[in-house]
Amino acid sequence: MLTIEIVAGADTTAISIRSAIYFCLKNPRVWQRLRDELSTAGLTKESCPISYKDSKAIPYLDAIVREALRMLPGVSLSLERYVPEGGFRFQTGEFVPQGAVVGVNPYLICRNKSVWGADAEEFRPERWLRDEEGAETEEAFSARLRKMNDADLSFGAGSRICIGKHMGLMQVYKVVATIATLYDVDLVDPKREWKVTNSWFPRQEGLEVRISRRP
Ligand code: HEM
């Protein structure tokens, strides 16, 4: 049982931290805003390692983590389920018999333009926040957020949803907030894309950075 926790919790968490750092560094505007918001919240090198409570209180960090998980879910192949007794009929009429294996791929659904909009391929943490120009009402934002939450399978769904979700997220928040507070980090080659090989876990290669302690 312990081995299962390690297998399920190690790569997924590391992949999510790597994604958050990579996508932020590819979008320096986002990385800078994160650093500004950490500093405005009074978090300094003396606060490190930054606590889960403090990091979770920063909406922009939450938006970054959710967007990184959307861009590259820690599990990026179909989450399979057996169709229960009696089979299942879709609203569109198609029927799937009981016992059939069906699944939804979190990576693909996270790129569905009817949920995330025309810029679904872009890393834009702001999509998880209420429109800052104030053009979006609270009700409209709640409806949009509900739609995104319903389609977000980065931790799966239903009775087999990830049991380590909160532990995984705790690590991602703390590590990203602490790195951004303690270090200056730049991509060695900002133009180069990383390489991702999907084999259940999407394995990333090529995140090369220059890192130095902030004064
Ligand atoms: C950011 C980090 C993590 C991500 C993205 C992640 C993602 C997932 C996903 C997508 C599933 C499949 C859910 C489904 O089929 O509906 C899953 C299941 C699972 N996860 Fe995680 N996970 C993370 C961290 C962890 C951690 C830290 C642990 C344990 C300490 C853990 C333990 C498990 C276990 C035991 C299952 C199987 C649950 C079951 O089948 O009932 N996960 N995770």
Side-chain angles (χ1 to χ4, degrees):
M1 286 175 79
L2 283 173
T3 307
I4 289 172
E5 300 313 313
I6 293 165
V7 171
D11 284 284
T12 45
T13 306
I15 286 164
S16 307
I17 292 172
R18 218 178 280 123
S19 293
I21 302 280
Y22 174 78
F23 289 117
C24 282
L25 295 181
K26 275 285 200 187
N27 296 273
R29 170 194 70 79
V30 173
W31 186 242
Q32 190 53 50
R33 177 165 171 191
L34 172 64
R35 292 182 15 146
D36 292 346
E37 299 223 356
L38 289 162
S39 140
T40 308
L43 298 169
T44 62
K45 57 185 175 186
E46 282 71 38
S47 329
C48 291
I50 294 183
S51 69
Y52 183 41
K53 185 166 169 263
D54 285 344
S55 54
K56 205 170 163 14
I58 296 173
Y60 197 63
L61 175 61
D62 181 56
I64 285 174
V65 173
R66 298 212 63 184
E67 184 70 346
L69 281 160
R70 182 187 76 80
M71 291 295 286
L72 191 66
V75 173
S76 280
L77 287 180
S78 286
L79 303 174
E80 296 183 343
R81 302 290 194 267
Y82 290 106
V83 175
E85 213 179 311
F88 180 79
R89 187 169 297 283
F90 285 91
Q91 282 170 350
T92 44
E94 290 92 347
F95 182 75
V96 198
Q98 69 181 51
V101 178
V102 293
V104 176
N105 182 320
Y107 182 93
L108 294 180
I109 200 155
C110 282
R111 282 185 167 50
N112 188 324
K113 293 197 167 79
S114 72
V115 178
W116 278 279
D119 65 352
E121 291 289 339
E122 263 172 55
F123 178 75
R124 193 174 61 81
E126 285 75 7
R127 77 178 77 248
W128 295 96
L129 304 171
R130 189 174 157 196
D131 168 33
E132 286 162 347
E133 263 91 70
E136 188 174 39
T137 62
E138 193 56 47
E139 293 72 36
F141 173 60
S142 299
R144 196 167 59 80
L145 188 60
R146 201 174 320 117
K147 202 171 164 188
M148 296 196 292
N149 285 339
D150 285 351
D152 178 8
L153 285 182
S154 49
F155 288 95
S159 58
R160 307 311 295 261
I161 194 169
C162 173
I163 53 165
K165 176 175 177 179
H166 299 290
M167 191 177 167
L169 282 177
M170 174 189 71
Q171 297 176 72
V172 181
Y173 280 107
K174 283 177 61 109
V175 171
V176 174
T178 302
I179 289 179
T181 305
L182 280 185
Y183 299 101
D184 285 322
V185 192
D186 295 295
L187 289 170
V188 169
D189 180 356
K191 292 209 178 77
R192 202 172 67 209
E193 302 289 323
W194 65 2
K195 184 178 165 204
V196 178
T197 309
N198 191 8
S199 56
W200 180 249
F201 297 133
R203 296 166 200 280
Q204 309 121 316
E205 285 169 64
L207 173 52
E208 286 175 24
V209 298
R210 282 196 196 88
I211 183 161
S212 55
R213 266 206 180 252
R214 290 174 78 177

